[in-house]
Amino acid sequence: MRAEARIDLDAIRDNIAAIRARVGSAAVMSVVKSNAYGHGMVPCARAARAGGATWLGTAVVEEALALRAAGDTGRVLTWLWAPGDAFEDAVRADVDISVSGAWALREVVAAARAAERPARVHLKADTGLGRNGCTPADWPALVDAALKAEADGSVEVVGLWSHFACADEPGHPSVPAQLDEFVAMLAHAEGRGVTPEVRHMANSPATLLLPDTHFDLVRVGLAGYGLSPVPEVGGPADFGLRPAMTLAANLAGVKRVPAGHGVSYGHAWIAPRDTNLALIPTGYADGIPRHASNVGPVQVAGRRRTIAGRVAMDQFVVDLGDDEASAGDEAILFGPGDRGEPTAEDWAVAIGTISYEIVTRIGARVPRVHTGTGAS
């Protein structure tokens, strides 16, 4: 083992079950986009299903089709589309399609006619995030066009939805403003005759903190993998969650160097004393942030250390002081934290980012080793 990401499928199953228990009658969607936030999409999807997720969510259609190819037959929603995407393949695979504008609805209708079956669509409202979604000004026209396509038998409008911009910032004024806008846009659509199966707006932070936003379905991404989307409010254990990923590597070497010895490119760290240096064979090509240079935390020989010098493409160094270690010994970059090791949140704080980025960026040449069964 040079390096590996160990994924606890039982933790994912249990995280989804814990979330399911707190959302009442709302259904749970496990978001498995971006290779399940770096955890391995297909095994994690199965574990989430075992935990009670009746929906899966993907960003792009290729992810949804991969789930179908792996044997998943449950409800899957895909939301990030561009002109010319594989709409027909999605319709044939019984994938729910998000529609944010007239161009997308036209492509869905054409795909449904080619597939000779209606497409299930979710109309997305831009209530203030400013990315995908239909603005309030354009909403009446999109709703009417969708109802016409439904009357023609081309689509079934099964969902109405939106997404928060700042649900991870408790008390942010945009949150109630977006919720009010969504309620108004729902009222318009339903007043025109849309009868959605599900209305959904809550992401992970809203799922954990804002029960008034749960509607019929909550969409859980980061929380399903056991990380807190609102670390300033509480850590994973405060929400009954457990981080599923542990990133480990075997030391590629340990050597003694004298005071004044430079380390890695640019000599951004110089040994202040005679010391032992341990080489860890992962770098920014594996997803270790280069801006973790001189600040990233790592557990080696039972203690937390700090990266010494710059993170290179394939490797970085930690300073052990006078502690001893040997080539082949294990280093833990991050994990659940219950053995004293750093967590993904610790890495996020150290480099000024979010834990989403820490786990999602782990590269393809780091194998995912799935432990537990994730079975119900």
Side-chain angles (χ1 to χ4, degrees):
M1 193 257 316
R2 181 182 64 84
E4 65 182 17
R6 301 169 189 152
I7 313 301
D8 184 346
L9 295 177
D10 292 344
I12 292 172
R13 176 201 61 203
D14 294 346
N15 292 336
I16 294 296
I19 291 162
R20 178 71 189 84
R22 70 187 297 142
V23 297
S25 62
V28 173
M29 174 188 292
S30 178
V31 179
V32 294
K33 65 180 181 176
S34 190
N35 198 28
Y37 288 47
H39 292 68
M41 183 175 70
V42 170
C44 292
R46 291 172 178 157
R49 292 287 198 200
T54 53
W55 289 75
L56 299 176
T58 72
V60 297
V61 65
E62 292 83 2
E63 296 166 331
L65 296 177
L67 289 170
R68 291 294 191 241
D72 189 280
T73 59
R75 297 295 288 275
V76 178
L77 172 65
T78 295
W79 50 75
L80 186 58
W81 296 90
D85 263 340
F87 287 96
E88 185 178 339
D89 291 343
V91 175
R92 292 185 184 277
D94 202 30
V95 171
D96 288 36
I97 298 170
S98 177
V99 169
S100 294
W103 73 264
L105 184 61
R106 288 192 297 269
E107 295 220 16
V108 171
V109 168
R113 289 172 178 167
E116 298 183 334
R117 59 179 295 175
R120 287 201 304 266
V121 302
H122 297 232
L123 303 182
K124 186 176 184 184
D126 180 1
T127 56
L129 181 58
R131 299 188 318 195
N132 226 339
C134 182
T135 64
D138 294 334
W139 185 248
L142 180 62
V143 167
D144 287 349
L147 286 169
K148 182 178 183 300
E150 190 168 57
D152 292 343
S154 299
V155 307
E156 298 172 2
V157 183
V158 298
L160 299 171
W161 73 296
S162 190
H163 194 65
F164 283 111
C166 304
D168 57 346
E169 300 179 45
H172 196 283
S174 70
V175 173
Q178 279 195 258
L179 183 57
D180 288 347
E181 189 67 71
F182 185 52
V183 169
M185 294 173 82
L186 285 177
H188 174 86
E190 292 171 349
R192 293 290 295 165
V194 175
T195 55
E197 175 186 347
V198 287
R199 303 160 300 158
H200 49 109
M201 191 174 192
N203 53 3
S204 282
T207 296
L208 297 177
L209 299 179
L210 302 170
D212 290 347
T213 70
H214 291 173
F215 293 98
D216 306 304
L217 173 69
V218 298
R219 305 185 307 272
V220 177
L222 189 76
Y225 305 105
L227 299 171
S228 173
V230 282
E232 70 280 13
V233 176
D238 296 308
F239 299 109
L241 307 174
R242 177 176 173 77
M245 181 187 288
T246 296
L247 182 62
N250 282 344
L251 301 185
V254 179
K255 62 186 176 184
R256 187 76 173 174
V257 300
H261 197 289
V263 171
S264 197
Y265 292 123
H267 283 180
W269 188 89
I270 296 175
R273 63 196 180 290
D274 294 356
T275 193
N276 294 323
L277 299 179
L279 182 65
I280 297 180
T282 58
Y284 57 76
D286 303 295
I288 309 304
R290 188 173 184 270
H291 46 294
S293 302
N294 285 331
V295 295
V298 184
Q299 186 184 66
V300 181
R303 292 178 54 191
R304 285 202 191 194
R305 321 287 177 169
T306 301
I307 292 175
R310 289 183 183 159
V311 174
M313 186 179 294
D314 311 297
Q315 55 197 286
F316 65 85
V317 172
V318 295
D319 176 23
L320 302 183
D322 291 327
D323 293 340
E324 295 184 355
S326 300
D329 288 353
E330 184 176 76
I332 302 294
L333 281 70
F334 61 80
D338 47 11
R339 295 174 296 167
E341 77 275 17
T343 65
E345 181 62 27
D346 292 331
W347 273 76
V349 170
I351 67 173
T353 186
I354 54 177
S355 60
Y356 297 74
E357 182 182 1
I358 298 302
V359 293
T360 303
R361 69 185 295 154
I362 301 304
R365 73 180 185 179
V366 177
R368 274 60 172 176
V369 177
H370 293 94
T371 64
T373 65
S376 56

